[in-house]
Amino acid sequence: MISPIVSVPTGAPPSGATSLVDALEGGAVLMFPDLDFPLSPFEERFVERPFADGKAKNVNIRGEAATLKGAAGTPEEQAALRALLLRYRGFADDLIRTHLPAYLGRVTLAGTSYRPFEVDQRKLSWRRDDTRLHVDAFPSNPIGEKRILRIFRNINRDGQPRRWRVGEDFGSMAEKFLPRLPGYSPLSARLLAALRITKARRSEYDHLMLHLHDALKQDLDYQAKAPQQDVLFTPGQTWVTFSDLVMHGAMGGRYMLEQTAYLPVAAQADPERSPQRILARKLGRPLQ
Ligand code: SIN
Ligand code: FE
């Protein structure tokens, strides 16, 4: 099954028995066509040219202090860009409050990013090439018993869509790739943490997700032939998905905002639909 895109227009009656949380946990991308997030006249400049130092992939705010990283511009412009990202964080928080109230108080908001560069113009290694279908996994930041929920918004002013591909469901993908992955070593996980290569101990789940991420991106045959569908997110659209569950690739577009959030597996409506539990079921044992 290919991940469905579920449109959620403002004011439409709730769609019967399936709640948004149910669709999301089942691997859908929720697409909100008409949420308001206006830019001020001063902020228009951020969608006219990239305010980025070009060293990192994106500009983002990090940590409690929300320190701006990777930005370019005058101090006044950088302060305004930081304020824009903070406002987007609030917008994402409101979206969760309004549309995913079951997660209220359980979700932690992490990084917020401004992505001004054209996706496919960046020359990246295969591992960092997000045009290839993948699920998200962070090499230095073990996720453990958390889910990665992401809230994206296309803020392009020239009508240019964010072009994505979405792939098949996580379970079907895992069945093909699990047999190829190297075994987990608790000893090397401890070593990576001791050497501060990882910020915490890499669990077996983290190990599997990293190797899935790499195996998927390296398999050009799979990239070309696996079940998949093109999706266009037009300017003004906002979309939300579990990017650790939904196979995706970003094929084109520039100027986007993104908020990352973490949700404990135990806070899901149905924890059995998490990649953590799907992988354990496929392996026939609990993960280490
Ligand atoms: C990704 O998470 O793979 C990138 C999404 C995007 O930049 O549109
Ligand atoms: Fe991704």
Side-chain angles (χ1 to χ4, degrees):
M1 190 199 78
I2 293 177
S3 299
I5 314 297
V6 175
S7 179
V8 192
T10 300
S15 55
T18 51
S19 70
L20 293 184
V21 161
D22 183 58
L24 197 60
E25 292 189 5
V29 178
L30 304 181
M31 194 281 285
F32 300 84
D34 55 12
L35 300 181
D36 225 20
F37 186 75
L39 300 191
S40 71
F42 188 86
E43 289 169 337
E44 287 292 332
R45 72 193 66 209
F46 301 129
V47 290
E48 286 163 358
R49 58 188 191 278
F51 281 74
D53 65 17
K55 287 183 206 128
K57 249 182 3 177
N58 306 309
V59 174
N60 55 50
I61 47 172
R62 290 239 180 97
E64 282 284 292
T67 314
L68 189 68
K69 297 260 162 77
T74 65
E76 186 195 12
E77 286 167 333
Q78 295 201 30
L81 183 53
R82 178 173 174 272
L84 172 66
L85 288 174
L86 283 170
R87 200 166 78 249
Y88 186 66
R89 180 188 282 183
F91 167 86
D93 198 37
D94 282 348
L95 187 154
I96 293 166
R97 192 177 309 278
T98 309
H99 298 281
L100 304 167
Y103 294 161
L104 251 180
R106 307 303 306 272
V107 163
T108 318
L109 297 182
T112 316
S113 66
Y114 158 69
R115 304 182 177 205
F117 295 118
E118 175 61 43
V119 164
D120 47 18
Q121 278 175 11
R122 291 185 267 117
K123 297 260 183 300
L124 300 170
S125 66
W126 61 264
R127 186 174 274 128
R128 294 179 65 208
D129 180 0
D130 286 338
T131 66
R132 302 186 193 205
L133 286 167
H134 65 281
V135 283
D136 288 348
F138 307 134
S140 64
N141 197 1
I143 264 303
E145 280 283 294
K146 293 196 297 289
R147 302 295 314 282
I148 307 171
L149 183 67
R150 288 190 138 152
I151 298 124
F152 302 93
R153 183 178 175 91
N154 185 348
I155 54 168
N156 189 285
R157 282 302 153 96
D158 307 315
Q160 205 184 338
R162 191 77 173 184
R163 293 190 290 116
W164 271 31
R165 293 192 277 169
V166 292
E168 65 182 331
D169 63 277
F170 188 89
S172 306
M173 175 278 288
E175 231 153 73
K176 292 171 195 156
F177 283 86
L178 266 181
R180 306 188 203 167
L181 305 185
Y184 173 66
S185 156
L187 183 64
S188 42
R190 278 204 297 275
L191 204 62
L192 289 174
L195 294 173
R196 304 244 191 280
I197 294 170
T198 54
K199 289 180 189 147
R201 191 185 70 97
R202 189 180 280 175
S203 66
E204 184 176 19
Y205 170 68
D206 292 305
H207 165 87
L208 292 172
M209 290 298 277
L210 278 176
H211 285 281
L212 273 178
H213 173 274
D214 287 2
L216 282 163
K217 284 190 173 176
Q218 280 188 286
D219 189 335
L220 294 181
D221 196 57
Y222 180 83
Q223 290 293 329
K225 295 184 190 143
Q228 56 190 276
Q229 190 191 312
D230 293 327
V231 190
L232 299 184
F233 298 108
T234 55
Q237 291 186 342
T238 306
W239 61 106
V240 181
T241 198
F242 280 115
S243 62
D244 52 1
L245 180 74
V246 172
M247 293 278 292
H248 62 281
M251 309 313 292
R254 58 189 304 189
Y255 298 113
M256 186 181 73
L257 298 174
E258 175 270 340
Q259 175 67 50
T260 299
Y262 298 126
L263 180 79
V265 170
Q268 284 187 232
D270 183 4
E272 292 306 312
R273 298 169 95 188
S274 62
Q276 284 86 344
R277 300 297 174 270
I278 295 172
L279 289 174
R281 276 200 302 281
K282 299 278 178 208
L283 290 170
R285 58 169 176 81
L287 301 183
Q288 290 177 264

